[in-house]
Amino acid sequence: MRSNNTVEDVQFIDGLRFTRYTGNKYYWWKVGNDKMPPYRKGTSVSAHRYVWERANGPIPDGYQIHHKDHDAGNNALDNLELVETVEHAAYHAKKRLAENAEFRAKFHAAGIEAAKEWHKSEEGRAWHKEHAKQIAQTKESHGTEQVCSWCGKTFIGV
């Protein structure tokens, strides 16, 4: 939930104190009594999830609450939307790749290394073998032999 106990900011929602700590962009409420169903004493609840659940009920499995304006401090209900976890993660990953050159370079390098390993794997070799068969069939049934006007070599065109 938080990186340390230094309080950065506080918001009050329904008389409950939500605190944002240094190193965390979200506001959290530490459930202090057991008379707040469905929240259990001793757990922590983020402000955006609390606001959404108060208005709409429990968040279904496989979904998250997204801040439309990307401001984690704006927990107004009209700024929140329910999105699938996979869609939400993909959206933020694309955003991070577009905005952060250092992250993009590390991500790209990791992808190249992972691709090298996959191509060496049994699965990778099987995929390429099947793909080559499909390409050959496509060329045989749909391609026509042509001559490159620049180098003079023949090739199969579509």
Side-chain angles (χ1 to χ4, degrees):
M1 174 184 70
R2 58 185 184 226
S3 60
N4 64 42
N5 290 329
T6 305
V7 174
E8 287 284 322
D9 195 19
V10 174
Q11 288 183 356
F12 289 90
I13 303 169
D14 293 343
L16 304 172
R17 179 186 166 113
F18 288 82
T19 306
R20 184 170 57 85
Y21 298 92
T22 299
N24 196 307
K25 64 182 181 178
Y26 298 114
Y27 288 77
W28 297 90
W29 165 52
K30 180 79 170 179
V31 182
N33 68 50
D34 54 2
K35 296 178 182 173
M36 288 292 296
Y39 308 113
R40 292 186 328 271
K41 181 178 182 177
T43 61
S44 294
V45 180
S46 62
H48 61 291
R49 290 179 64 91
Y50 174 84
V51 169
W52 180 268
E53 289 179 330
R54 181 187 68 194
N56 300 292
I59 298 165
D61 288 341
Y63 286 83
Q64 295 181 348
I65 304 305
H66 173 71
H67 290 88
K68 294 176 189 177
D69 69 356
H70 307 283
D71 177 2
N74 181 359
N75 293 302
L77 183 60
D78 64 353
N79 186 47
L80 304 176
E81 65 183 340
L82 183 70
V83 295
E84 287 188 72
T85 299
V86 171
E87 178 186 328
H88 194 218
Y91 172 80
H92 283 289
K94 286 177 188 175
K95 188 174 185 302
R96 188 172 180 194
L97 284 169
E99 295 174 355
N100 187 327
E102 183 180 341
F103 176 77
R104 186 172 50 252
K106 287 180 182 178
F107 184 82
H108 182 73
I112 289 171
E113 291 306 311
K116 287 178 187 176
E117 291 305 311
W118 181 81
H119 282 277
K120 293 178 192 175
S121 74
E122 195 172 307
E123 177 190 5
R125 289 192 307 273
W127 181 89
H128 277 287
K129 185 176 180 178
E130 184 58 35
H131 187 67
K133 287 178 189 176
Q134 291 171 1
I135 294 297
Q137 288 173 351
T138 300
K139 285 181 181 178
E140 288 172 10
S141 63
H142 298 292
T144 58
E145 189 172 288
Q146 298 179 15
V147 178
C148 176
S149 60
W150 185 71
C151 70
K153 291 184 181 179
T154 59
F155 65 96
I156 303 295
V158 183

